[in-house]
Amino acid sequence: MCGRFALTATPGQTAASLGLAELEEFPARYNIAPTQPVLMALAGPPRAPGSNLPDRQAMLVRWGLIPAWVKDTKEFPLLFNARSEGVLEKASFKTAMRHRRALVPASGFYEWQQSGAAKGQPYWIRPKRGGVVAFAALVETYAEPGGSEMDTGAILTTRANAGIAHIHDRMPAVIEERDFARWLDCRTQEPRDVLDLLKPAGPDFFEAIPVSDLVNKVANTGPEIQERGIVWPQPEKVRRQKPGADENQMTLF
């Protein structure tokens, strides 16, 4: 699963990494959460012969895909992730998989290791080589009952690699730069032709850094949430006993 990520690269670095035209200025974002706007890159319209313009376009998308056929969004779950293993069969994703494949630029993502603590130990998981990575994503334009349209999207996930499987069994599907064009090409590349790209990153691609529980709150958006830290398990509450009661005796109190 991928429920939080960060994009701290500059607009220039982000544009260069995805082969986009110049992006408008935006601040570093350390704690991006579902329902927030996220930057995605899609294939652009066909270029004129001899054009030097990029063949990709950027758009802001609400993180949480809503299929076009949904009638009541209040009754529909928040689809911020899509499992790559069933993406061709799931009604919520198969149309977007055919027509609107995208890339999400990220500096890394967060995951929580469950080990008895109430909320688990959060980790900041980033590429060892640094820079910007691209997560596979899908986009769907949802027409609201009032007539307005909203672009929505989901990040595709796959099984975790050996490097982070001890933290969580899922991870975002990372698309390598050499495969950007093939993944985004929805005109000539059928969905079945790009399924091979939805695989775990190499076992040494990411490094996982334990961080404090500041990341748990969406309101915390500063760089301090990526500082190394440990969330200690909560001590078990001591059960109060009636005076004189035998601690081995069963009690309702």
Side-chain angles (χ1 to χ4, degrees), residues 80-100:
F80 55 90
N81 284 166
R83 293 177 67 94
S84 58
E85 294 86 349
V87 73
L88 296 188
E89 291 77 33
K90 291 287 186 181
S92 297
F93 305 122
K94 62 181 182 180
T95 301
M97 183 67 179
R98 175 172 292 277
H99 299 293
R100 288 172 292 277

Side-chain angles (χ1 to χ4, degrees), residues 149-170:
E149 292 186 340
M150 175 172 56
D151 295 317
T152 69
I155 292 174
L156 284 153
T157 65
T158 184
R159 67 184 187 280
N161 62 20
I164 65 171
H166 65 288
I167 299 172
H168 199 276
D169 63 352
R170 305 292 295 176

Side-chain angles (χ1 to χ4, degrees), residues 26-76:
F26 57 80
R29 299 177 67 191
Y30 292 89
N31 198 6
I32 303 172
T35 73
Q36 294 180 353
V38 298
L39 178 67
M40 292 195 184
L42 296 87
R47 293 176 296 177
S51 173
N52 292 323
L53 295 175
D55 59 353
R56 295 166 196 161
Q57 60 185 3
M59 65 189 306
L60 282 178
V61 175
R62 180 252 200 188
W63 188 14
L65 187 143
I66 306 175
W69 44 262
V70 170
K71 300 299 183 183
D72 186 356
T73 58
K74 294 180 180 179
E75 299 295 326
F76 195 75

Side-chain angles (χ1 to χ4, degrees), residues 239-247 251-253:
R239 186 179 62 182
R240 296 174 58 187
Q241 293 185 346
K242 296 175 68 175
D246 183 346
E247 65 178 13
T251 176
L252 296 176
F253 303 96

